[in-house]
Amino acid sequence: MANGSHPGWLTVHGVRLEIVERGQGRPILWLHGEEGLDPGAPFLDLLAAHGSVLAPSHPGFGHSPDVSSIDTVDDLSYLYLDVLAARNLRDVVVIGSSLGGWIAAEMAVKSSDRLGGLVLVAPLGIKVGDRETRDIPDIFALPPDEVARLQYRDPARAAVDHAKLSDDQLTVIARNREATALYAWEPYFHNPKLRQRLHRITPPTLLLWGADDRFVTAAYYGAAYRSAIPGARFETIDGAGHFPHIEEPAAFAARVRGFLGEPKA
Amino acid sequence: MGMRAWFFSENAYHLLPDSKEYDSIRVKLPNRYYDPKIGADLYHRFIDEWQIAEELGLEIMVNEHHQTATNLNPSAAVVMGALARDTRKARILILGNPIANRREPVRVAEEMAMVDVYARGRLECGFVRGVPYEMSAGNHRPTRMMERFWEAHDLIVKAWTSHDGPFNWEGKYFHHRQVNIWPRPYQEPHPPIWITALSPASARDVGEKGYVVACFLTGFDGTKNVFGSYRERRAELRLPTPALDRFAYAALVYVGETDEEGYAGARKLMWYLESNKVPPQFTSPPGYHPTASTVNAMKGTNPGIFKMFQNPALGPLMENGLVFAGNPDSVYRQIMKMHDHVGGFGHLLIMGQAGFLDHEETVKGMQMFVREVYPRLKALA
C-alpha cells in the first residue's frame, strides 16, 4: 500500500489510476475537482486522521493516463463504483469537490450499496435556471484572473508562479485543464438528468459550501442541491470560496469529522 | 509542372473602433459594430475581386471563420455557391470546412456536392480543424478534436462515394441513418481533398491519405517540418513519392513595381495580424494545443514565430517567410527561397487582401503578380 506522500497506482478493468492512499480505518474515497489532486495538500493528512483515504487522479488528470473510452462524468462514476467493488469496500464515505462532487452524486444515484455516507463539497452537475441562465460561470470564456476571483475567497491563493514549477508540475496543470474540458465542456458542468435523479440518494449526505463561494453560491446552487436530496444536511464554511478544503482545510476536516461521528441512518 | 497560385481574401470587416475599446476582435465583439449596408458593399467588392482573379488567370480560394470581424464568411459554402455561378474556369478551393466543429458531416457532404455540381466539377474541398477561437462558436470541446475530425471526414467521403442507396453510420461522434445524398459530386470519385496541417504529427495522417497538405504562415522551419513529415510518412508506408502538387503554402503577398510599393501593400495586409486581438482564454482553450506546447507557453519558451504574431513587424515577417513582398524580382526570390527550403510546393495561396488595402491596390497587387511573377512560377520544372 502506498502510504507515503508519493502516489501509487491502481488498475481497475484496464484503467490505470494514480492514487494517494493514506491513513487507516473506515474507507474514504476523495474525488478531486478541476484543480486536480495535490498529494501534498494539508487536507489529505487531516482526512487521513479519520479513515483510510483513497484519492485517485481521474483519467487524464495528474499522471493518470487518458482513456479513450472514458470521456464523461457518467463514465467516471461507473469507474469509481468499479474501484469500490474491486477493493470490496463497504460503508465507504465518498467525498467530492466541485467536479468531483458531481461524480460522487452520479455514483450515489446509480448505486448506494457500498456507500455509508456522501459529502458533496460545492458539487456541480445539476441544471437549476432557465435555458438562458448559465448556472455556472463559463471558465472557458472568462479571463483566468476572473475565474480565480470567482472561485477563491482570496484569489491570491490561486496564483501560481509558473517560473518556480518543474516541467512535470506544469504538465500536470495543463493536463488538469484539458481533462476538465473533456468532462465538462458540454453540457457545461452538468447532466440535464441528474437533478431529477438525486432523490435516489439514500446514504446520509452532507452538503458543504464555502460561505464566500462566488462561483456557485450556497444560496442559489447549494439550495437547489439541498432541496433535491431528501434529508441532506447543509453546512457552510466561513472564510472559504469554492474550494474550502484548500482555503480552510482545518474547518473542512472538522466538518467531515462531525459528519462521520453521526450514527448511520 | 509549374506552381499554381490561388487568390484568397478573408473578407474582413475592418471599419472597427479603436482596439482599446474592445478586448477581443473574435468571439465576443458585439455585432452592433457591423453595418450591414457597408457589409453588403464589402461582400460584393470581395466577390468582384475573386472574379478579377479568375480573369487574370488565378485560381480562387475561400475560407470560413465564425464570430469575428476578421472574416465575414461564416459559411464558405454560401460564398462559394455564389462564386461557382459567377466563375467559369478557375478551380475553386474551400480551405476549409471546419469539420471537427460541424454537427452534421452529412450536411457538409451535401453542400460540397452541390457546389461541385454548380461549378461543373471545379471544386477543391478542404477540411480544417478550425482555429482555437472557434471552440465557442462551434460549441465543440477542444479535446480529442482530431479523432472527431477524421470520423467526420470518413463519413463525408463515404456519403460522396456511395451510389447504391442508403447506408447507416453509428460512430463514436456521429450517428446518421439512411445516408443517401442528392446531388452527388460532379467529380469522380469526389472533389480533391485538401487538409491544413500546422504540426508534423497531423501531416502524417494527411500524407498517408495522399491529400494536398496546406501550411498557413508557418514560416521556413515550421513548413519544412510539416512537409517533411508528410513525405516521411509516405516513404515509411512505401507509398509513391508525392508530387509537388500535394503541397501548398499560404503567405501574405504583395507585389509592387518597386520594393517600396510592395512593402507598403504588405503593411496594409498586416492588418490581419495586427488586428488579431484575442485574450488567452480564446487563443488557448484547454486541449486544443498539444500539452507540451501549453507547458512551453507557461514557461514562455514557445518558438519565436508565435511571438511574431504578437508584435508583427514587416522585417521579421519577411525574414521568416510569412510575407512575400517587394518588386517582382524580390517576391520571386522570396517565394523560391521558401520553395527550396521546404523541399518544394506546387501551390501558393496568396492572401492578397486585408484591412485597409483598397480595391485598386488589391487589383494592382494581383496584376503585378500575374504579369511579373506568376509566369516564372508556372515555368518551374
Side-chain angles (χ1 to χ4, degrees):
Chain A
M1 176 182 284
N3 212 3
S5 60
H6 292 291
W9 293 93
L10 169 72
T11 301
V12 179
H13 297 301
V15 177
R16 198 157 171 264
L17 298 171
E18 172 187 49
I19 188 163
V20 169
E21 298 191 51
R22 214 171 281 174
Q24 291 185 341
R26 187 177 182 186
I28 297 172
L29 176 67
W30 165 258
L31 299 174
H32 67 76
E34 305 86 276
E35 82 285 11
L37 180 73
D38 173 6
F43 80 90
L44 280 176
D45 284 330
L46 296 170
L47 280 186
H50 307 291
S52 167
V53 174
L54 284 82
S57 283
H58 316 319
F61 280 89
H63 298 93
S64 291
D66 281 311
V67 180
S68 168
S69 58
I70 293 183
D71 58 7
T72 62
V73 165
D74 188 52
D75 295 328
L76 295 177
S77 65
Y78 280 111
L79 171 69
Y80 291 121
L81 288 171
D82 286 347
V83 166
L84 302 188
R87 289 280 182 103
N88 195 21
L89 299 174
R90 306 255 170 213
D91 198 26
V92 181
V93 179
V94 179
I95 311 179
S97 152
S98 198
L99 171 74
W102 176 14
I103 302 167
E106 293 273 9
M107 289 172 72
V109 299
K110 289 179 169 77
S111 170
S112 299
D113 287 356
R114 294 177 182 277
L115 307 190
L118 198 59
V119 182
L120 304 177
V121 189
L124 305 177
I126 60 170
K127 178 66 191 161
V128 179
D130 64 21
R131 65 186 183 186
E132 285 169 52
T133 304
R134 271 271 195 230
D135 295 321
I136 303 163
D138 188 354
I139 61 170
F140 303 118
L142 290 170
D145 53 354
E146 174 63 6
V147 175
R149 192 192 69 77
L150 291 168
Q151 292 188 330
Y152 289 83
R153 185 191 66 83
D154 175 11
R157 291 295 296 265
V160 176
D161 184 354
H162 290 154
K164 291 188 177 149
L165 298 183
S166 67
D167 278 17
D168 179 65
Q169 289 168 310
L170 293 172
T171 301
V172 165
I173 291 173
R175 295 189 84 235
N176 291 348
R177 288 183 191 155
E178 291 164 13
T180 298
L182 177 69
Y183 298 119
W185 185 267
E186 189 201 29
Y188 181 64
F189 271 121
H190 74 281
N191 167 3
K193 304 283 190 186
L194 179 59
R195 195 180 183 191
Q196 73 201 42
R197 296 173 183 164
L198 289 175
H199 71 89
R200 295 173 51 86
I201 294 179
T202 48
T205 299
L206 170 65
L207 284 157
L208 262 185
W209 229 273
D212 295 320
D213 190 340
R214 292 177 284 256
F215 189 58
V216 281
T217 64
Y220 174 72
Y221 206 80
Y225 242 107
R226 179 187 199 173
S227 66
I229 303 178
R233 284 182 55 171
F234 192 97
E235 298 180 12
T236 55
I237 294 178
D238 288 339
H242 186 59
F243 302 114
H245 55 290
I246 296 175
E247 288 199 285
E248 289 294 332
F252 164 76
R255 299 305 177 89
V256 173
R257 186 181 62 232
F259 175 71
L260 292 176
E262 288 180 353
K264 283 179 68 181
Chain B
M1 179 182 56
M3 194 185 290
R4 263 180 152 171
W6 304 71
F7 178 79
F8 117 83
S9 146
E10 290 256 331
N11 290 194
Y13 190 87
H14 58 294
L15 302 170
L16 298 174
D18 192 303
S19 63
K20 290 187 197 76
E21 282 186 36
Y22 54 86
D23 67 353
S24 182
I25 194 171
R26 298 190 188 247
V27 187
K28 54 184 283 204
L29 183 64
N31 66 17
R32 66 170 176 270
Y33 292 115
Y34 179 78
D35 180 334
K37 294 185 183 64
I38 296 171
D41 291 343
L42 283 171
Y43 273 139
H44 288 288
R45 176 195 147 188
F46 295 137
I47 288 173
D48 289 346
E49 288 170 3
W50 270 310
Q51 287 185 277
I52 292 167
E54 178 189 51
E55 286 161 19
L56 290 169
L58 295 168
E59 317 300 337
I60 288 173
M61 178 190 143
V62 162
N63 71 348
E64 152 171 343
H65 284 295
H66 300 259
Q67 295 190 192
T68 177
T70 64
N71 183 303
L72 268 296
N73 288 329
S75 169
V78 169
V79 66
M80 207 51 123
L83 283 168
R85 169 89 184 145
D86 285 351
T87 60
R88 288 291 182 272
K89 58 179 184 180
R91 300 294 297 176
I92 55 174
L93 164 66
I94 293 182
L95 193 58
N97 294 280
I99 54 173
N101 293 342
R102 296 285 299 269
R103 303 263 160 171
E104 289 183 80
V106 174
R107 170 82 186 208
V108 176
E110 289 174 329
E111 289 168 352
M112 294 300 103
M114 196 176 163
V115 172
D116 194 39
V117 175
Y118 268 6
R120 299 186 193 279
R122 289 181 291 119
L123 177 67
E124 308 261 334
C125 183
F127 297 130
V128 297
R129 185 180 169 196
V131 292
Y133 335 110
E134 277 157 32
M135 297 305 102
S136 291
N139 204 37
H140 260 304
R141 68 167 198 232
T143 54
R144 301 189 184 177
M145 280 184 83
M146 288 317 289
E147 195 176 54
R148 196 169 63 231
F149 175 96
W150 283 111
E151 188 182 321
H153 158 276
D154 294 347
L155 174 49
I156 291 166
V157 171
K158 177 146 192 190
W160 279 343
T161 54
S162 298
H163 306 310
D164 299 316
F167 67 90
N168 291 291
W169 190 276
E170 293 178 347
K172 181 167 180 183
Y173 293 101
F174 302 104
H175 287 230
H176 217 297
R177 56 163 52 78
Q178 305 294 335
V179 182
N180 181 33
I181 64 167
W182 283 70
R184 64 186 169 101
Y186 194 93
Q187 298 175 83
E188 282 292 337
H190 56 72
I193 292 175
W194 297 46
I195 291 180
T196 302
L198 296 179
S199 74
S202 46
R204 287 172 62 80
D205 296 329
V206 188
E208 192 172 329
K209 303 265 188 199
Y211 298 151
V212 182
V213 65
C215 278
F216 277 75
L217 304 178
T218 39
F220 285 101
D221 290 340
T223 310
K224 186 180 181 177
N225 293 340
V226 168
F227 291 178
S229 169
Y230 182 110
R231 293 181 167 109
E232 265 171 39
R233 181 62 180 154
R234 289 192 69 80
E236 269 172 33
L237 298 170
R238 301 178 195 279
L239 291 165
T241 306
L244 290 186
D245 74 354
R246 298 295 90 188
F247 303 96
Y249 183 66
L252 278 57
V253 182
Y254 197 84
V255 185
E257 288 177 37
T258 62
D259 277 339
E260 289 63 36
E261 191 187 355
Y263 300 158
R267 284 199 183 87
K268 291 192 177 178
L269 289 176
M270 281 167 51
W271 177 91
Y272 171 70
L273 300 173
E274 290 158 350
S275 66
N276 197 28
K277 181 180 182 185
V278 191
Q281 63 270 27
F282 299 134
T283 58
S284 303
Y288 182 89
H289 302 290
T291 310
S293 57
T294 304
V295 169
N296 285 337
M298 287 192 266
K299 290 158 69 179
T301 57
N302 264 330
I305 197 159
F306 289 99
K307 288 176 190 135
M308 229 167 3
F309 290 105
Q310 281 149 23
N311 283 307
L314 185 59
L317 288 167
M318 287 179 61
E319 282 159 33
N320 285 281
L322 283 71
V323 173
F324 302 140
N327 71 35
D329 289 342
S330 306
V331 170
Y332 174 72
R333 271 198 308 275
Q334 292 162 35
I335 293 169
M336 290 312 294
K337 187 180 171 191
M338 175 63 73
H339 179 275
D340 295 344
H341 187 83
V342 303
F345 54 88
H347 302 281
L348 176 66
L349 309 178
I350 296 175
M351 189 162 171
Q353 195 286 324
F356 291 88
L357 197 74
D358 67 24
H359 178 71
E360 283 68 31
E361 292 166 325
T362 303
V363 172
K364 183 169 185 192
M366 274 196 261
Q367 288 169 333
M368 286 297 295
F369 174 84
V370 167
R371 201 169 66 218
E372 305 291 340
V373 182
Y374 200 15
R376 292 184 250 184
L377 299 175
K378 280 180 172 169
L380 288 175

